[in-house]
Amino acid sequence: MQNHWRHTLAAAAILSVVLSGCGQAKPLNGTQSNQTAKQPAHQTEQGQTSGGGSNSQAPAAASEQSKISKVIKTYYSDAEFTKLVEQQAKIEFKNEADQYLAALNQLKKTPDDTTISLCKEISFKSAVLKDGQVTVDLSLPDAARLGSPGEEMLLDALKKTLFQFSEVKTIEILLDGKQVESLMGHMELPHPIKR
């Protein structure tokens, strides 16, 4: 009788060890093999991407270096819409060709409570320099339309902003890709605007 119990207990103990061992072994082995398989691949990808330990910071440094920053003058209306207010702002762009659009987009931001952006609702689609002329293509929703003094200040703000770049000799402003006589119906828009 005692032998029977011993055999039964021994068999149960062996069975429980085997079952618990199998139950743990599969996920552990599976996890380890997956991790083992993934780690070298990940390390290999990192190695290929970074080119080794000494160059691991090179891509980050290159992406930071690819952004150029410049401090420019920007122009806004005073709170009473009576005059232009000059401010300084830092713009960032990837290459020299993008600096004109970055400068124009900076005009959309209001720097403080005492100034008003004349371009807040304007969408600047492109600003491309070719042979000394920067061609600006913009969209002007109804919310962006100003009265006569506002339109005059807007044109002055655009001229002053773009003519601060010495390479810009003339400005061609297009409304949705087309030449128009006036942006908002109050001021004549020359084609091109000369320095």
Side-chain angles (χ1 to χ4, degrees):
M1 189 74 168
Q2 283 183 338
N3 281 342
H4 177 63
W5 278 108
R6 280 187 197 158
H7 289 297
T8 305
L9 284 175
I14 291 171
L15 184 61
S16 69
V17 168
V18 169
L19 288 177
S20 68
C22 288
Q24 290 175 359
K26 285 183 183 175
L28 259 180
N29 288 341
T31 304
Q32 285 175 347
S33 64
N34 286 344
Q35 286 175 348
T36 307
K38 286 180 184 174
Q39 281 178 343
H42 182 61
Q43 288 169 352
T44 304
E45 286 171 15
Q46 280 182 340
Q48 289 171 350
T49 304
S50 66
S54 62
N55 294 332
S56 62
Q57 294 177 352
S63 67
E64 284 175 20
Q65 287 174 356
S66 68
K67 280 211 170 185
I68 306 164
S69 63
K70 183 182 276 190
V71 175
I72 62 164
K73 294 175 184 174
T74 53
Y75 300 88
Y76 309 91
S77 169
D78 65 343
E80 291 78 32
F81 267 92
T82 57
K83 64 180 180 177
L84 274 185
V85 177
E86 181 182 296
Q87 299 274 357
Q88 284 197 337
K90 181 181 172 184
I91 57 171
E92 290 187 340
F93 43 94
K94 288 185 179 178
N95 55 57
E96 293 291 328
D98 296 334
Q99 66 184 326
Y100 314 108
L101 190 58
L104 292 171
N105 280 322
Q106 189 65 39
L107 297 179
K108 295 167 64 81
K109 302 171 184 174
T110 306
D112 55 45
D113 294 338
T114 63
T115 56
I116 298 169
S117 168
L118 296 161
C119 303
K120 185 177 181 179
E121 303 296 331
I122 295 175
S123 174
F124 294 104
K125 297 177 180 180
S126 63
V128 180
L129 180 71
K130 185 178 180 183
D131 300 327
Q133 177 169 290
V134 71
T135 301
V136 178
D137 189 13
L138 57 85
S139 251
L140 199 65
D142 288 339
R145 297 189 180 276
L146 305 168
S148 181
E151 183 177 357
E152 185 177 8
M153 280 195 291
L154 169 66
L155 289 174
D156 283 345
L158 295 176
K159 288 190 282 189
K160 287 176 181 267
T161 300
L162 291 171
F163 281 143
Q164 72 185 295
F165 299 100
S166 59
E167 65 274 16
V168 176
K169 306 302 180 198
T170 58
I171 304 167
E172 178 65 40
I173 298 178
L174 305 176
L175 182 59
D176 295 318
K178 297 174 184 175
Q179 285 188 353
V180 290
E181 292 180 12
S182 175
L183 274 182
M184 300 177 186
H186 309 292
M187 303 296 298
E188 186 181 337
L189 182 61
H191 295 286
I193 299 170
K194 295 178 181 177
R195 184 182 281 277

